[in-house]
């Protein structure tokens, strides 16, 4: 969870904020395949729908709160 939760969020946000393909994102995030990017995106969407949580660093976040915090930091 220390790595997978932040990576899932990264992959979801990469799809949301870029026009990169699943394959391009996977390549740029350490060479994972496109199906892993699709799976991560779907997992985050599922967690958003059910108000789920992710562990990011030392803290557990509601997925929606984590995304909103990231978006606020972008300005």
């Amino acid at each position: 969870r220390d790595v997978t939760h932040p990576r899932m969020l990264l992959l979801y946000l990469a799809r949301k904020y870029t026009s990169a393909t699943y394959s391009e994102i996977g390549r740029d995030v350490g060479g994972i395949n496109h199906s892993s990017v699709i799976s991560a995106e779907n997992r985050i969407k599922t967690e958003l729908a059910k108000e789920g949580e992710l562990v990011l660093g030392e803290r557990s976040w509601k997925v929606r709160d984590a995304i909103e915090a990231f978006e606020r930091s972008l300005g």
Side-chain angles (χ1 to χ4, degrees):
R1 288 177 12 181
D2 290 345
V3 174
T4 58
H5 286 188
R7 184 174 61 199
M8 282 190 305
L9 191 57
L10 167 68
L11 296 171
Y12 171 83
L13 292 168
R15 283 292 295 167
K16 183 175 179 178
Y17 286 104
T18 72
S19 60
T21 66
Y22 291 112
S23 295
E24 291 168 336
I25 292 168
R27 182 192 63 232
D28 293 342
V29 181
I32 60 176
N33 63 43
H34 73 283
S35 62
S36 295
V37 179
I38 293 168
S39 176
E41 180 183 34
N42 290 336
R43 175 82 186 273
I44 294 295
K45 286 179 179 179
T46 298
E47 293 299 321
L48 274 168
K50 68 178 191 176
E51 296 295 322
E53 294 186 352
L54 294 174
V55 176
L56 302 172
E58 299 289 320
R59 183 173 166 198
S60 182
W61 291 74
K62 290 275 189 190
V63 174
R64 187 169 317 283
D65 293 342
I67 291 170
E68 288 173 0
F70 173 78
E71 291 171 336
R72 275 193 308 274
S73 74
L74 291 177

